[in-house]
Amino acid sequence: MLYLLRPHQGIRWIDMLSYIRAAAGERRVDLDGLDWLEDDATTEGTTLLRLRLALRHGTATRTGIVVDAGELVALSRCEQIRSDYEDLVATRPNYRKSLAELEAVMPGTIADEDESDALLDEEMVETLAASDADLVAALEVTADPVLVNHWRSLGGSVPDPV
């Protein structure tokens, strides 16, 4: 999958293999002319992080910067883990209600679930810390000055820190 970031126009995506980006550069193909789809799922924070990564790993086009989804793995991994964990935590209150009925038949069920939840929470803290460290490492790569200048020339704001 490829993403196209354009100043003041949000993010677009296309389900295309990453080698297309390299081949397009070699053959001078206009990536902007592909049938890009609107990415409705991004938040402002995600957009900013994608831009920061695109400024390190992207390819300039007439209207923006194309970046391979593979270059955004650290970001997407963080997002997915957080989202899945938040969804799980949100289901706990309803699940707890059903455990109360089970506790009457199987004493200790709630205590077992408390222990299981505590272990999961502890593991998630460690997993999220490792995932965040991967993202930090991806952002430690110096931004490409050519891409930064290109982005600015298109009217885009460069995040601080880049």
Side-chain angles (χ1 to χ4, degrees), residues 5-142:
L5 289 79
R6 297 180 301 171
H8 316 295
Q9 296 181 29
I11 297 177
R12 294 184 157 304
W13 65 275
I14 192 165
D15 195 11
M16 199 165 273
L17 299 174
S18 61
Y19 75 87
I20 297 296
R21 188 178 90 184
E26 292 169 8
R27 296 186 180 114
R28 300 190 192 281
V29 173
D30 181 15
L31 291 173
D32 291 307
L34 297 174
D35 192 18
W36 295 93
L37 303 170
E38 197 68 38
D39 186 5
D40 298 326
T42 56
T43 64
E44 187 175 328
T46 301
T47 299
L48 180 63
L49 282 172
R50 284 185 179 164
L51 174 59
R52 291 177 71 203
L53 289 165
L55 291 171
R56 287 156 173 75
H57 305 286
T59 299
T61 70
R62 278 183 304 103
T63 65
I65 299 174
V66 171
V67 66
D68 185 326
E71 302 291 351
L72 306 177
V73 167
L75 171 59
S76 61
R77 182 172 177 256
C78 287
E79 288 177 328
Q80 190 62 54
I81 291 170
R82 274 197 177 76
S83 175
D84 290 349
Y85 182 59
E86 288 168 3
D87 290 348
L88 177 91
V89 170
T91 66
R92 283 182 179 169
N94 288 336
Y95 181 65
R96 290 286 193 187
K97 289 177 187 174
S98 66
L99 284 181
E101 294 174 13
L102 190 56
E103 179 73 21
V105 179
M106 292 178 53
T109 300
I110 292 176
D112 289 346
E113 189 62 26
D114 288 344
E115 185 178 331
S116 177
D117 285 350
L119 285 172
L120 177 64
D121 292 345
E122 192 176 305
E123 287 177 12
M124 287 308 300
V125 166
E126 292 172 16
T127 300
L128 287 169
S131 179
D132 287 342
D134 290 345
L135 180 57
V136 167
L139 290 169
E140 285 179 347
V141 173
T142 303

